[in-house]
Amino acid sequence: MEIVLIANILIIVLEIMGFSNSFNRGIKVLTFYTQLSNIITTISSVFFIINRYAVFTTVLRYLSTVMLTMTVLITVFVLVPSGAGFKNMMLSGNGLFHHTLCPAISITSYILWEQHSRMWGIPVAVTAVYGIVLLYLNYIEKVDGPYPFFRVHNMKAAVTAAWMVALIVLITGLSWGITLIR
């Protein structure tokens, strides 16, 4: 069996293990970008196993790669330093699966062995829609966070705007950068 198929099967198994720790939150789990990026990764790996050459599969694997990269960077450079703790976020519970193992295997598989997509705008659009929805839900106080930069009632509008610009610039840079790898 090819290493790329083994990688995608392993991704699915590890994602299921990670989700077993996180779906006890119910629908709230969908407010986390981490969970959404890992759900997309699971679906993309299933499609990869079914038909790796379909354009849809290639785009979905690309979307998952960019979103997972964003997830890891925000976790390591924002959440961990803000007090969440490296061990807690990266090495235990569903963090071990969704912040470390699945991203490492999935990103490596996509970059080294899979067909690439150049549809850089898709991860930017998905992330922008996610951000707008979470900002709105925080504004109307239906959701708290789940990340500090969405807590609009705890920050000045200029700080919220700066965070949103920084996150869109980051996802755009990642989207472009990952398309340039091959």
Side-chain angles (χ1 to χ4, degrees):
M1 186 178 302
E2 295 176 72
I3 193 164
V4 69
L5 286 176
I6 294 169
N8 277 273
I9 292 168
L10 185 56
I11 291 164
I12 295 166
V13 170
L14 292 172
E15 290 286 9
I16 291 168
M17 292 170 70
F19 288 126
S20 71
N21 292 328
S22 53
F23 279 132
N24 59 358
R25 293 181 180 149
I27 193 77
K28 185 181 178 191
V29 75
L30 298 177
T31 64
F32 289 86
Y33 190 87
T34 296
Q35 300 302 318
L36 295 175
S37 67
N38 280 276
I39 289 168
I40 291 169
T41 298
T42 307
I43 293 167
S44 73
S45 288
V46 168
F47 276 100
F48 186 88
I49 291 167
I50 294 169
N51 184 359
R52 75 174 86 173
Y53 301 109
V55 172
F56 178 76
T57 300
T58 302
V59 172
L60 206 55
R61 288 292 299 140
Y62 167 68
L63 172 63
S64 129
T65 299
V66 176
M67 289 180 71
L68 284 177
T69 304
M70 178 83 155
T71 294
V72 171
L73 292 175
I74 294 300
T75 301
V76 170
F77 294 109
V78 176
L79 302 178
V80 168
S82 70
F86 185 83
K87 182 179 178 186
N88 181 47
M89 295 301 289
M90 303 298 289
L91 303 176
S92 63
N94 74 322
L96 173 64
F97 298 99
H98 291 160
H99 295 148
T100 305
L101 297 175
C102 294
I105 296 167
S106 188
I107 293 166
T108 300
S109 179
Y110 179 81
I111 289 173
L112 296 180
W113 306 305
E114 297 178 28
Q115 189 172 333
H116 286 214
S117 172
R118 300 240 182 253
M119 301 184 92
W120 68 270
I122 292 175
V124 176
V126 168
T127 301
V129 167
Y130 166 80
I132 291 166
V133 168
L134 263 292
L135 283 172
Y136 176 72
L137 290 174
N138 272 268
Y139 179 75
I140 63 171
E141 298 181 344
K142 291 288 184 188
V143 172
D144 180 33
Y147 303 108
F149 42 80
F150 286 134
R151 293 188 170 110
V152 297
H153 297 291
N154 299 349
M155 298 183 286
K156 293 182 179 184
V159 174
T160 299
W163 267 110
M164 294 310 107
V165 168
L167 294 170
I168 291 299
V169 167
L170 177 60
I171 195 72
T172 302
L174 292 172
S175 293
W176 272 103
I178 291 171
T179 64
L180 298 175
I181 287 175
R182 270 192 163 170

